[in-house]
Coordinates of all heavy atoms in Angstrom, one line a residue:
M1 N -74.0 51.4 -16.9 CA -73.3 52.5 -16.3 C -73.3 52.3 -14.8 O -74.1 51.7 -14.2 CB -74.2 53.8 -16.6 CG -73.6 55.1 -16.2 SD -74.8 56.4 -16.4 CE -74.9 57.0 -14.7
R2 N -72.2 52.9 -14.2 CA -72.0 52.8 -12.8 C -71.7 54.2 -12.2 O -71.1 55.0 -12.9 CB -70.8 51.9 -12.5 CG -71.1 50.4 -12.8 CD -69.8 49.6 -12.6 NE -68.8 49.9 -13.5 CZ -67.5 50.2 -13.2 NH1 -67.1 50.3 -12.0 NH2 -66.7 50.5 -14.2
I3 N -72.0 54.3 -11.0 CA -71.4 55.5 -10.3 C -70.4 55.0 -9.3 O -70.5 53.9 -8.7 CB -72.5 56.3 -9.5 CG1 -73.4 55.4 -8.6 CG2 -73.4 57.1 -10.5 CD1 -74.4 56.1 -7.8
V4 N -69.4 55.8 -9.1 CA -68.3 55.5 -8.2 C -68.1 56.7 -7.3 O -67.8 57.8 -7.8 CB -67.0 55.1 -8.9 CG1 -65.9 54.8 -7.9 CG2 -67.2 54.0 -9.9
V5 N -68.3 56.5 -6.0 CA -68.2 57.6 -5.1 C -66.8 57.6 -4.4 O -66.5 56.6 -3.8 CB -69.3 57.6 -4.1 CG1 -69.2 58.7 -3.1 CG2 -70.7 57.7 -4.8
D6 N -66.1 58.7 -4.4 CA -64.8 58.8 -3.7 C -65.2 59.3 -2.3 O -65.4 60.5 -2.1 CB -63.9 59.8 -4.4 CG -62.6 59.9 -3.8 OD1 -62.4 59.5 -2.6 OD2 -61.6 60.3 -4.5
R7 N -65.2 58.4 -1.4 CA -65.6 58.8 0.0 C -64.6 59.8 0.6 O -65.0 60.6 1.5 CB -65.6 57.5 0.8 CG -65.8 57.6 2.3 CD -67.2 58.2 2.6 NE -67.3 58.5 4.0 CZ -66.8 59.6 4.7 NH1 -66.1 60.5 4.0 NH2 -66.9 59.7 6.0
D8 N -63.4 59.8 0.2 CA -62.4 60.7 0.8 C -62.7 62.2 0.3 O -62.3 63.1 1.0 CB -61.0 60.3 0.4 CG -60.5 59.1 1.0 OD1 -61.1 58.7 2.1 OD2 -59.6 58.4 0.5
R9 N -63.3 62.3 -0.8 CA -63.7 63.7 -1.3 C -65.0 64.2 -0.8 O -65.3 65.4 -0.8 CB -63.7 63.7 -2.9 CG -62.3 63.5 -3.4 CD -62.3 63.5 -4.9 NE -62.5 64.8 -5.5 CZ -62.2 65.2 -6.7 NH1 -61.8 64.3 -7.6 NH2 -62.4 66.4 -7.1
C10 N -65.9 63.3 -0.4 CA -67.2 63.6 0.0 C -67.1 64.5 1.3 O -66.4 64.1 2.3 CB -68.1 62.4 0.3 SG -69.7 62.8 1.0
M11 N -67.8 65.6 1.3 CA -67.8 66.5 2.5 C -69.2 66.6 3.1 O -69.5 67.4 4.0 CB -67.4 67.9 2.1 CG -65.9 68.0 1.7 SD -64.9 67.7 3.1 CE -63.4 67.0 2.3
G12 N -70.1 65.7 2.7 CA -71.4 65.6 3.3 C -72.4 66.7 2.9 O -73.3 67.0 3.6
H13 N -72.2 67.2 1.7 CA -73.2 68.2 1.2 C -74.6 67.7 1.0 O -75.6 68.4 1.1 CB -72.7 68.9 0.0 CG -71.4 69.6 0.1 ND1 -71.3 70.8 0.9 CD2 -70.2 69.4 -0.4 CE1 -70.0 71.2 0.9 NE2 -69.3 70.4 0.1
A14 N -74.7 66.4 0.6 CA -76.0 65.7 0.5 C -76.8 66.2 -0.7 O -78.0 65.7 -0.8 CB -76.8 65.8 1.8
V15 N -76.3 67.0 -1.5 CA -77.1 67.4 -2.7 C -77.4 66.1 -3.6 O -78.5 66.0 -4.1 CB -76.3 68.4 -3.6 CG1 -77.1 68.9 -4.8 CG2 -75.9 69.6 -2.7
C16 N -76.4 65.2 -3.6 CA -76.6 64.0 -4.4 C -77.8 63.2 -4.0 O -78.6 62.8 -4.8 CB -75.4 63.1 -4.3 SG -74.9 62.7 -2.6
A17 N -78.0 63.1 -2.7 CA -79.1 62.3 -2.2 C -80.4 63.0 -2.3 O -81.5 62.4 -2.4 CB -78.9 61.9 -0.7
L18 N -80.4 64.4 -2.3 CA -81.6 65.1 -2.5 C -82.1 64.9 -4.0 O -83.3 64.8 -4.2 CB -81.4 66.6 -2.2 CG -81.2 67.0 -0.8 CD1 -80.9 68.5 -0.6 CD2 -82.5 66.7 0.0
M19 N -81.1 64.9 -4.9 CA -81.5 64.8 -6.3 C -81.8 63.4 -6.7 O -82.7 63.1 -7.5 CB -80.3 65.3 -7.1 CG -80.1 66.8 -7.0 SD -78.8 67.4 -8.1 CE -79.7 67.3 -9.6
A20 N -81.1 62.4 -6.1 CA -81.3 61.0 -6.5 C -81.3 60.1 -5.3 O -80.4 59.3 -5.0 CB -80.2 60.6 -7.4
P21 N -82.3 60.2 -4.4 CA -82.4 59.5 -3.2 C -82.3 58.0 -3.3 O -81.8 57.3 -2.4 CB -83.7 59.9 -2.5 CG -84.5 60.5 -3.6 CD -83.5 61.0 -4.6
D22 N -82.8 57.5 -4.5 CA -82.8 56.0 -4.6 C -81.4 55.5 -5.1 O -81.2 54.3 -5.1 CB -83.8 55.6 -5.6 CG -85.2 55.8 -5.1 OD1 -85.4 55.9 -3.9 OD2 -86.2 55.9 -5.9
L23 N -80.5 56.4 -5.5 CA -79.2 56.0 -6.0 C -78.1 56.2 -5.0 O -77.0 55.6 -5.1 CB -78.9 56.7 -7.3 CG -79.9 56.6 -8.5 CD1 -79.4 57.4 -9.6 CD2 -80.0 55.1 -8.9
M24 N -78.3 57.1 -4.1 CA -77.2 57.5 -3.1 C -77.5 57.0 -1.7 O -78.7 57.1 -1.2 CB -77.1 59.0 -3.1 CG -76.8 59.6 -4.5 SD -75.2 59.1 -5.2 CE -75.5 59.6 -6.9
E25 N -76.5 56.5 -1.1 CA -76.7 56.0 0.3 C -75.8 56.9 1.2 O -74.6 57.0 1.0 CB -76.3 54.6 0.4 CG -76.4 54.0 1.9 CD -76.0 52.6 2.0 OE1 -75.7 52.0 1.0 OE2 -76.0 52.1 3.1
L26 N -76.4 57.6 2.2 CA -75.6 58.4 3.1 C -75.6 57.7 4.4 O -76.5 57.0 4.8 CB -76.3 59.8 3.2 CG -76.5 60.6 2.0 CD1 -76.9 62.0 2.3 CD2 -75.3 60.6 1.1
D27 N -74.5 58.0 5.2 CA -74.4 57.5 6.5 C -75.1 58.5 7.5 O -75.7 59.5 7.0 CB -73.0 57.2 6.9 CG -72.1 58.4 7.1 OD1 -72.7 59.6 7.0 OD2 -70.9 58.3 7.2
D28 N -75.1 58.2 8.8 CA -75.8 59.0 9.7 C -75.3 60.4 9.8 O -76.0 61.3 10.2 CB -75.7 58.4 11.1 CG -76.5 57.1 11.2 OD1 -77.4 56.9 10.3 OD2 -76.3 56.3 12.1
L29 N -74.1 60.7 9.3 CA -73.5 62.0 9.3 C -73.7 62.7 8.0 O -73.3 63.9 7.8 CB -72.0 61.9 9.7 CG -71.7 61.4 11.1 CD1 -70.2 61.2 11.3 CD2 -72.3 62.2 12.2
G30 N -74.3 62.0 7.1 CA -74.6 62.6 5.8 C -73.5 62.4 4.7 O -73.5 63.1 3.7
Y31 N -72.6 61.6 5.0 CA -71.5 61.3 4.0 C -72.0 60.2 3.1 O -72.6 59.2 3.5 CB -70.2 60.9 4.7 CG -69.6 62.0 5.4 CD1 -69.8 62.2 6.8 CD2 -68.7 62.9 4.7 CE1 -69.2 63.3 7.4 CE2 -68.1 64.0 5.4 CZ -68.4 64.2 6.8 OH -67.8 65.2 7.4
N32 N -71.6 60.3 1.8 CA -72.0 59.3 0.8 C -71.2 58.0 1.0 O -70.0 58.0 0.8 CB -71.8 59.9 -0.6 CG -72.5 59.1 -1.6 OD1 -72.6 57.9 -1.6 ND2 -73.0 59.8 -2.6
V33 N -71.9 57.0 1.3 CA -71.2 55.7 1.4 C -71.7 54.7 0.4 O -71.6 53.4 0.6 CB -71.4 55.1 2.8 CG1 -70.7 55.9 3.9 CG2 -72.9 55.0 3.2
T34 N -72.1 55.2 -0.8 CA -72.6 54.3 -1.8 C -71.5 53.4 -2.4 O -71.8 52.3 -2.8 CB -73.2 55.2 -3.0 OG1 -74.2 56.1 -2.4 CG2 -73.8 54.3 -4.1
G35 N -70.3 54.0 -2.4 CA -69.2 53.2 -3.0 C -69.4 53.1 -4.5 O -69.3 54.1 -5.2
E36 N -69.5 51.9 -5.0 CA -69.7 51.7 -6.4 C -71.1 51.0 -6.6 O -71.4 50.1 -6.0 CB -68.6 50.9 -7.0 CG -68.6 50.7 -8.5 CD -67.3 50.1 -9.0 OE1 -66.3 50.2 -8.3 OE2 -67.4 49.5 -10.1
A37 N -71.8 51.6 -7.6 CA -73.2 51.0 -7.8 C -73.6 51.0 -9.3 O -73.3 52.0 -10.0 CB -74.2 51.7 -7.0
K38 N -74.2 50.0 -9.7 CA -74.8 49.9 -11.0 C -76.0 50.8 -11.1 O -76.8 50.9 -10.2 CB -75.1 48.5 -11.4 CG -75.6 48.3 -12.8 CD -75.9 46.8 -13.1 CE -76.2 46.5 -14.5 NZ -77.0 47.4 -15.2
V39 N -76.1 51.5 -12.3 CA -77.3 52.4 -12.5 C -78.1 51.8 -13.7 O -77.5 51.6 -14.8 CB -76.8 53.8 -12.8 CG1 -78.0 54.7 -13.2 CG2 -76.0 54.4 -11.6
E40 N -79.3 51.6 -13.5 CA -80.2 51.1 -14.5 C -80.4 52.2 -15.6 O -80.3 53.4 -15.3 CB -81.6 50.8 -14.0 CG -81.5 49.6 -13.0 CD -80.9 48.4 -13.6 OE1 -81.2 48.1 -14.8 OE2 -80.3 47.6 -12.8
P41 N -80.6 51.8 -16.9 CA -80.7 52.8 -18.0 C -81.7 53.9 -17.7 O -81.4 55.1 -18.0 CB -81.1 51.9 -19.1 CG -80.5 50.6 -18.8 CD -80.6 50.4 -17.3
A42 N -82.8 53.6 -17.1 CA -83.8 54.6 -16.8 C -83.4 55.7 -15.8 O -83.9 56.8 -15.8 CB -85.1 53.9 -16.3
D43 N -82.3 55.4 -15.0 CA -81.9 56.3 -14.0 C -80.6 57.0 -14.4 O -80.0 57.8 -13.6 CB -81.6 55.6 -12.7 CG -82.9 55.1 -12.1 OD1 -84.0 55.7 -12.3 OD2 -82.9 54.0 -11.4
E44 N -80.1 56.8 -15.6 CA -78.8 57.3 -16.0 C -78.7 58.8 -16.0 O -77.8 59.4 -15.5 CB -78.3 56.7 -17.4 CG -77.9 55.3 -17.2 CD -77.3 54.7 -18.5 OE1 -77.3 55.5 -19.5 OE2 -77.0 53.5 -18.5
A45 N -79.8 59.4 -16.6 CA -79.8 60.9 -16.6 C -79.8 61.5 -15.2 O -79.1 62.5 -14.9 CB -81.0 61.4 -17.4
L46 N -80.6 60.9 -14.4 CA -80.6 61.4 -13.0 C -79.3 61.2 -12.3 O -78.8 62.1 -11.6 CB -81.7 60.6 -12.3 CG -82.0 60.9 -10.8 CD1 -82.5 62.4 -10.7 CD2 -83.0 60.0 -10.2
A47 N -78.6 60.1 -12.5 CA -77.3 59.8 -11.9 C -76.3 60.9 -12.4 O -75.5 61.4 -11.6 CB -76.9 58.4 -12.2
R48 N -76.3 61.2 -13.7 CA -75.4 62.2 -14.2 C -75.7 63.6 -13.6 O -74.7 64.3 -13.3 CB -75.5 62.3 -15.7 CG -75.0 61.0 -16.4 CD -75.0 61.2 -18.0 NE -74.9 60.0 -18.7 CZ -73.7 59.3 -18.8 NH1 -72.6 59.8 -18.3 NH2 -73.7 58.2 -19.4
R49 N -76.9 63.9 -13.4 CA -77.2 65.2 -12.8 C -76.8 65.3 -11.4 O -76.2 66.3 -10.9 CB -78.7 65.5 -12.9 CG -79.2 65.9 -14.3 CD -80.5 66.7 -14.3 NE -81.6 65.8 -13.8 CZ -82.3 65.0 -14.5 NH1 -82.1 64.9 -15.8 NH2 -83.3 64.3 -14.0
A50 N -77.0 64.2 -10.7 CA -76.6 64.1 -9.3 C -75.1 64.2 -9.1 O -74.6 64.9 -8.3 CB -77.2 62.9 -8.6
A51 N -74.4 63.5 -10.0 CA -73.0 63.5 -9.9 C -72.5 64.9 -10.3 O -71.6 65.5 -9.6 CB -72.4 62.5 -10.9
G52 N -73.1 65.6 -11.2 CA -72.6 66.9 -11.6 C -72.9 68.0 -10.6 O -72.3 69.0 -10.5
A53 N -73.9 67.7 -9.7 CA -74.3 68.6 -8.7 C -73.4 68.6 -7.4 O -73.5 69.5 -6.6 CB -75.7 68.4 -8.3
C54 N -72.6 67.5 -7.3 CA -71.8 67.4 -6.1 C -70.7 68.5 -6.2 O -69.9 68.5 -7.1 CB -71.1 66.1 -6.0 SG -69.9 66.0 -4.7
P55 N -70.7 69.4 -5.2 CA -69.7 70.5 -5.2 C -68.2 70.0 -5.1 O -67.3 70.8 -5.4 CB -70.1 71.3 -4.0 CG -71.4 70.9 -3.5 CD -71.6 69.5 -4.0
E56 N -68.1 68.8 -4.6 CA -66.7 68.3 -4.4 C -66.2 67.4 -5.5 O -65.1 66.9 -5.5 CB -66.6 67.5 -3.1 CG -67.1 68.2 -1.9 CD -66.3 69.5 -1.5 OE1 -65.1 69.5 -1.9 OE2 -66.9 70.4 -0.9
G57 N -67.1 67.2 -6.5 CA -66.7 66.3 -7.6 C -66.4 64.9 -7.1 O -65.6 64.2 -7.6
A58 N -67.2 64.4 -6.1 CA -66.9 63.2 -5.5 C -67.5 62.0 -6.2 O -67.2 60.8 -5.8 CB -67.3 63.2 -4.0
I59 N -68.4 62.3 -7.1 CA -69.1 61.2 -7.8 C -68.7 61.1 -9.2 O -68.9 62.0 -10.0 CB -70.6 61.4 -7.7 CG1 -71.0 61.6 -6.2 CG2 -71.4 60.2 -8.3 CD1 -72.5 62.1 -6.0
A60 N -68.2 59.9 -9.6 CA -67.8 59.7 -11.0 C -68.9 58.9 -11.7 O -69.4 58.0 -11.0 CB -66.5 59.0 -11.1
V61 N -69.1 59.1 -12.9 CA -70.0 58.3 -13.7 C -69.2 57.6 -14.7 O -68.4 58.1 -15.5 CB -71.0 59.2 -14.5 CG1 -71.8 58.4 -15.5 CG2 -72.0 59.9 -13.5
V62 N -69.3 56.2 -14.7 CA -68.4 55.4 -15.5 C -69.3 54.6 -16.4 O -70.2 53.9 -16.0 CB -67.6 54.4 -14.6 CG1 -66.7 53.5 -15.4 CG2 -66.8 55.2 -13.6
D63 N -69.0 54.7 -17.7 CA -69.8 53.9 -18.7 C -69.2 52.5 -18.7 O -68.0 52.3 -18.8 CB -69.7 54.5 -20.1 CG -70.5 55.8 -20.2 OD1 -71.6 55.8 -19.6 OD2 -70.0 56.8 -20.7
A64 N -70.1 51.5 -18.7 CA -69.7 50.1 -18.7 C -70.4 49.4 -17.6 O -70.7 50.0 -16.6 CB -68.2 49.8 -18.5
Ligands
F3S1 FE1 -70.9 64.0 -0.6 FE2 -71.1 65.3 -2.8 FE3 -73.1 63.9 -2.0 S1 -70.1 66.0 -1.0 S2 -72.9 63.8 0.2 S3 -71.1 63.1 -2.6 S4 -73.2 65.9 -2.9

């Protein structure tokens, strides 16, 4: 599984990083700059919750 972050939709709410700090990378202004990242099976549930918590829908969860 992978997460794909749409940087153009990110508004810097940072909920994602609060929920999953090891999966999300924020810049100095609090915008998500993770881009695309592989998620280990043990972290998949956490990644889905973090993606679902983003108010802007900026984080997609992609199987594969
Ligand atoms: Fe951005 Fe959403 Fe996270 S707006 S900082 S991707 S909670």
Side-chain angles (χ1 to χ4, degrees):
M1 184 188 125
R2 292 175 292 128
I3 50 172
V4 181
V5 178
D6 184 341
R7 174 62 186 82
D8 291 336
R9 292 180 74 165
C10 174
M11 292 294 153
H13 296 295
V15 183
C16 57
L18 287 174
M19 294 184 71
D22 292 339
L23 300 178
M24 305 295 167
E25 181 181 354
L26 304 188
D27 68 11
D28 290 344
L29 298 176
Y31 290 93
N32 193 325
V33 292
T34 306
E36 185 170 336
K38 186 178 187 318
V39 176
E40 297 301 325
D43 292 328
E44 288 186 0
L46 183 62
R48 289 185 197 282
R49 284 199 298 274
C54 174
E56 307 297 335
I59 305 169
V61 171
V62 181
D63 290 319

